[in-house]
Amino acid sequence: MTNPTLAALGWSQRHTAQLSDSDAGLMPARVNRVSRSRLTALSDSGPLSLVTPGDKNTGDYATGDWVLVDPETSQIIRLLDRDTLLSRRAAGSGLETQLIAANVDTLAIVTSCNADFNVARLERYLALAATAGCLPLIVLTKADLTEDARDYERKAEALSPLATALSLNAKAEDAAELLKPWAKNGQTLALLGSSGVGKTTLANALTGESEATAGIREDDAKGRHTTTARGLSQTIFGGWLIDTPGMRALRLNDAAEGIGAVFSDIEALAEQCRFRDCQHEAEPGCAVQAAIAAGDLDADRLRRFGKLVREEEINQEAPHERRAREKSFHRMVKTVMAEQRGKRGKR
């Protein structure tokens, strides 16, 4: 098998423009796999096992990154600017950022035409794509198991003016062909979604590989993890695919603009409110509530929008503000509990 050219790997004039005279002699390479202890990449000279600089670790890099490498030592000298970057808040309550993938052209948000179809979760993924700067594609699998596949597509596309939806059977012979427009000629497509929705089956079809797949539980349509690490693989159409482990939760990271893009209908209405600081609850002259009353806006969509906005506000708190808020909350809980104990003691 011949080594891919830089152009085939996705190198473009945007990357060439970042080079300077001081980069002469360095080798461009694209990161194809990141683990806690190892970083590998692809280049036009073959695969590389990379060495990170002394002040960096593997977590500072994402699958899909372009780096400049010393060809003698395989040490990373410089990380090139990313065209797009998918990231999230790490699991738990911390504020650490976890990189998902870089330089992705299209984010395929994979769900299915069954109980896994969750509007709130799809809006969250769409906000992630908008924040990263990726084109969002909602891929609805298991279309062969329902007569309402087109209805699922309409519901998905209604969530954002940026979204395109596509329903398919991941196991069908034409599944890969349907995704060809987003997976050819050096383009990078990333698959993201819950476990058991068919991501690995689609990845196998797109790359010609045969990674094991796992079924779903019939009672709740949830599946088991099969993909355990992010990797960059070439598609049968000449593009690149990044498959990711199934995500049980997605905490957005610095996503205010992405949320605004997905909920542009609500933000446009908010511009027409009488008061600039309108909370869209019971204020007079609220254009958002007027749209709900007229049946032009779903009240549940407004609630989901508000939830994401509040989450983003908390994420943007400085550490001392976060600690102060948590202390205030704990004091309130202690006060309420003390009052309840006092009332019980008087009975």
Side-chain angles (χ1 to χ4, degrees), residues 168-179:
L168 50 76
N169 173 6
K171 298 179 181 180
E173 292 183 0
D174 66 344
E177 193 68 29
L178 291 172
L179 292 171

Side-chain angles (χ1 to χ4, degrees), residues 291-306:
I292 292 174
D296 297 327
L297 177 67
D298 184 357
D300 286 338
R301 181 167 169 81
L302 175 62
R303 282 192 285 271
R304 295 192 301 270
F305 170 68

Side-chain angles (χ1 to χ4, degrees), residues 198-209:
K199 294 196 314 301
T200 302
T201 301
L202 287 174
N204 289 345
L206 284 165
T207 63
E209 298 175 358

Side-chain angles (χ1 to χ4, degrees), residues 104-216:
V104 171
D105 297 299
T106 304
L107 176 63
I109 304 164
V110 187
T111 185
S112 50
C113 301
N114 59 17
D116 184 76
F117 186 91
N118 183 293
V119 169
R121 185 169 65 233
L122 284 174
E123 288 170 339
R124 187 175 289 266
Y125 280 113
L126 288 167
L128 171 70
T131 300
C134 304
L135 175 71
L137 172 67
I138 301 176
V139 179
L140 299 156
T141 62
K142 309 187 191 301
D144 55 310
L145 303 180
T146 179
E147 296 179 355
D148 301 322
R150 183 62 190 126
D151 187 46
Y152 277 103
E153 288 183 15
R154 285 192 289 266
K155 289 178 181 178
E157 290 183 339
L159 299 178
S160 170
L162 306 173
T164 298
L166 174 70
S167 60
L168 50 76
N169 173 6
K171 298 179 181 180
E173 292 183 0
D174 66 344
E177 193 68 29
L178 291 172
L179 292 171
K180 180 179 178 179
W182 300 277
K184 63 180 182 178
N185 302 331
Q187 295 182 75
T188 300
L189 172 70
L191 301 179
L192 205 61
S194 306
S195 299
V197 294
K199 294 196 314 301
T200 302
T201 301
L202 287 174
N204 289 345
L206 284 165
T207 63
E209 298 175 358
S210 56
E211 184 173 347
T213 61
I216 63 171

